[in-house]
Amino acid sequence: MEAKQAGASLDALIATFNTRVAELQELVIARNMYPGSSIADLSAVDTSLKAMELQVQAIKDRLRDETEAIPKAKKLIEASLRQKKKLQSLSIHVPSLALEKVTMLNADTSSWCGLHDAGNQHPGVGNMKLEEEPVAIPKEKKGRAPPPLWYISADELDSLASYMRGRLTLEKVNAAINDMAAYAEANAQLILAPKRKVGENLWEKALELRDIAMTEGIKGKHFFLESDIKGPNLKLDNTGKAILTVLRHLARISEIRSGHNRVIILLKPH
């Protein structure tokens, strides 16, 4: 009787153990449901977070470098502006540079007027026909002086009242001076050229310029007409008018009326 009871107790204990094992298996399965995909997803999230942290750190490092470079850049800009002003002031006193520019202007204006070697082909007065060469116009001398290229300096521009200076820059004003020298050089060549070297469309203007060139106050000076102003840098717009006002004030040009023409004379350095 006791043996039967012991056997029953052992069977119950085995059954209980087996039941507990089954429960543990179910819990493990529930806890580890889809373990492969979960681990992969978590790994991907971790990798993305690390990449973002690296990018944020790189941005912080770049911002720090740029912030440290700003004072150096400001000092470099200030030094460059000071050097630029010095070079612009020095350029006024370097005649070789001005001569080179005028040589280029001579080539351009000669092509525009259709003139070729006009300076070396003027006939003598005795062989000159009245319809070709007005007697009052003197022969061109070898080594004729080019139009003056008297640039302004940064200090001169800064010395002007703000209402006169407006938004003009040193580069704009000096570029306009280059244009004015080109106009004056074109007129000088047109005045001295014989008729056979001047196109029909320019002959009437050549005669008009020769009359103007003999006017008191203009004779012997380089000049151009208001109607000659056609750019590329100097134009008859508000900016161009402001530039002419500034140059009159700084004694680079003077103006005079000759008939219906407004004549602008280029002045030489004192």
Side-chain angles (χ1 to χ4, degrees):
M1 186 69 177
E2 293 177 357
K4 289 182 180 179
Q5 292 178 350
S9 299
L10 181 60
D11 291 337
L13 181 62
I14 291 172
T16 302
F17 180 81
N18 290 335
T19 301
R20 183 61 175 166
V21 169
E23 291 175 353
L24 289 173
Q25 287 176 343
E26 290 177 358
L27 290 173
V28 170
I29 292 172
R31 186 185 63 181
N32 296 324
M33 186 175 293
Y34 309 113
S37 61
S38 299
I39 293 173
D41 291 341
L42 290 174
S43 298
V45 171
D46 183 64
T47 302
S48 299
L49 286 174
K50 289 181 179 179
M52 292 176 66
E53 289 175 354
L54 291 174
Q55 290 179 351
V56 170
Q57 186 60 42
I59 292 172
K60 289 181 178 179
D61 294 341
R62 183 62 182 271
L63 287 174
R64 184 182 65 253
D65 294 341
E66 294 292 339
T67 302
E68 293 175 353
I70 287 175
K72 298 179 181 179
K74 287 182 178 179
K75 291 181 180 179
L76 182 60
I77 292 172
E78 292 172 357
S80 299
L81 291 175
R82 289 195 298 269
Q83 185 67 16
K84 179 181 178 181
K85 288 184 178 181
K86 291 180 181 179
L87 291 175
Q88 288 169 341
S89 299
L90 289 174
S91 67
I92 301 173
H93 306 289
V94 183
S96 60
L97 294 179
L99 182 59
E100 180 181 352
K101 291 183 178 180
V102 172
T103 302
M104 295 173 64
L105 291 172
N106 289 347
D108 293 340
T109 51
S110 295
S111 175
W112 173 72
C113 292
L115 306 178
H116 301 283
D117 299 325
N120 297 323
Q121 297 182 6
H122 289 293
V125 176
N127 298 326
M128 183 170 55
K129 295 181 181 180
L130 181 60
E131 64 176 0
E132 293 186 353
E133 294 285 345
V135 178
I137 300 299
K139 293 189 295 181
E140 181 182 5
K141 297 181 181 180
K142 186 176 181 180
R144 174 176 56 87
L149 277 169
W150 188 10
Y151 299 113
I152 71 168
S153 66
D155 291 338
E156 286 180 303
L157 185 61
D158 293 340
S159 69
L160 299 174
S162 58
Y163 75 88
M164 183 181 298
R165 183 173 65 250
R167 300 179 65 181
L168 295 179
T169 64
L170 192 67
E171 291 76 12
K172 286 183 180 179
V173 178
N174 284 336
I177 291 176
N178 283 335
D179 281 3
M180 293 191 297
Y183 304 151
E185 179 63 19
N187 287 342
Q189 293 195 24
L190 199 56
I191 289 171
L192 294 166
K195 184 176 181 180
R196 64 178 179 275
K197 294 291 183 178
V198 181
E200 293 183 2
N201 59 323
L202 294 175
W203 180 241
E204 183 176 350
K205 181 179 180 180
L207 294 177
E208 183 179 33
L209 290 174
R210 291 172 181 181
D211 290 339
I212 294 173
M214 299 308 298
T215 302
E216 188 67 28
I218 302 177
K219 186 175 181 180
K221 299 178 181 178
H222 290 89
F223 68 91
F224 63 94
L225 309 181
E226 185 180 47
S227 57
D228 293 328
I229 300 176
K230 296 177 181 178
N233 301 296
L234 180 63
K235 300 177 181 179
L236 283 176
D237 53 12
N238 291 335
T239 299
K241 293 175 182 178
I243 289 174
L244 293 176
T245 299
V246 166
L247 293 178
R248 282 196 305 270
H249 183 79
L250 295 176
R252 274 9 182 224
I253 60 173
S254 64
E255 295 181 8
I256 191 172
R257 299 291 303 188
S258 179
H260 64 281
N261 291 301
R262 179 186 177 191
V263 184
I264 301 170
I265 302 169
L266 303 184
L267 302 180
K268 298 179 180 180
H270 304 307

